Amino acid sequence: MDGRGDTQGDARGDLRGDIPRAVRSGWERARSWGAANPWAVDIGLALLVQAAMTMPFVVPRGPELEPATWPAYGLTTLTVLPLVWRRHAPLAVLLAILAASALYKLALDGPGQPLPYTGLVSVYTIAVLSPPWKRLTTTALLMVAVPASVGLNTRSVRELTFSLFVFGAAYVFGRLQDARQREHRIEAERAASRERARIAREMHDILSHAVSLMVVQAEAGPVAVRTAPERAEAAFDAISATGRDAMTQLREMLGVLREGSESAAAPREPQPDLAGIPGLVERVRVSGGLAVTYTTEGGVRALPPATGASAYRIVQEALTNVVKHARARTVDVRLNHEEGVLRVTVTDDGRGPQAGPSGHGLVGIRERAAAHGGTAAMGPGPGGRGFEVRVLLPVPAGSAPSAAEVGR
């Protein structure tokens, strides 16, 4: 065996997988185009209905049947034409179709149709787009018009039952489509709300962290200028570096929200992850005047980008709270990589829970943990001393060790 059979089988499998994806992609593009061009869609639908109604006029007919005349065909076009305005005045369109259909039956009585295409499309449209009173009016109108139409045609119970069934099915399908559209709108609003909350958390974390470090350095600057000019210069450098870093992160975030030509020039760098924590710790150590230690335990895993970014932001916000509230001297940042779990612990030796860091920062930490199915707890540190943030983030079982861990 040379393996060609396996290769060909894999190729066929890939091809079978590509076809549904191509179909879905084409369907989504068609839907987007239809949403942007409703008039074109309605004109195309009217032409399709007209083609269906043309069939009885072109197939051979027996001498005992009604003749297929040009005036009769013209009246079928008159029943189809109102469909072009079906979205804008659906009930008026239905009334126009019923009037044209009655004229066709009473004046010419040409070839019949296997289905009331125009009426079904109109009823479906009313069920999708119209308010309750119009839908109720349509139901009452059909309860009169359908029996009257059957009375002018075969007067059979079979035709009456069939007509009521197809119109009822069109109405039900329309209501189901309306429910589906409303569900999609609600889900889109929820997604937009989640995205706004995510952006708010990101901007809060970036600005709160940067401003806190800059305030600490600015407050120490005047004293350092008088007593230790070299420390004052370092403080100003730290303020500048912190501000530039915050501006870079804000540009990356806001660049994603820009549209049009501006988006082409916007940075597209990845979100920070665990690899950025050592640099974060070093900035806090230099700018905040804290003794910050950073340790990792267990087999370091390559996290999904969203989990890594959340872990970085959790550490960032926890350190920001220490700088703003704790009056601490030392901080310990610890990441424990366990099987299927990442534990993040940030402990300081400051004033403890009475420091009052209960604002948006800790709420954001809880929200980030919950977004990944994890948990967050805050309270006194070991022995009741200081303050500790404990976060547990689930990690997919398939996550592989990072390159740094493999190379050890």
Side-chain angles (χ1 to χ4, degrees), residues 23-105:
V23 171
R24 286 195 298 269
S25 176
W27 173 248
E28 291 300 326
R29 286 196 297 270
R31 287 183 59 186
S32 300
W33 183 87
N37 302 274
W39 281 106
V41 172
D42 291 342
I43 291 173
L45 178 62
L47 292 174
L48 182 63
V49 172
Q50 181 65 40
M53 297 186 69
T54 301
M55 296 303 172
F57 288 86
V58 297
V59 297
R61 302 179 58 79
E64 72 283 1
L65 299 176
E66 297 84 355
T69 63
W70 283 108
Y73 184 70
L75 268 183
T76 64
T77 303
L78 191 62
T79 65
V80 173
L81 187 60
L83 291 179
V84 176
W85 292 273
R86 69 186 184 96
R87 298 176 197 257
H88 305 276
L91 185 56
V93 166
L94 177 61
L95 292 173
I97 289 172
L98 291 177
S101 300
L103 179 62
Y104 179 86
K105 186 65 178 177

Side-chain angles (χ1 to χ4, degrees), residues 166 212 318 335:
V166 294
S212 297
L335 270 62

Side-chain angles (χ1 to χ4, degrees), residues 379-398:
R385 182 165 175 255
F387 191 79
E388 186 173 72
V389 175
R390 300 176 295 276
V391 177
L392 186 150
L393 296 175
V395 177

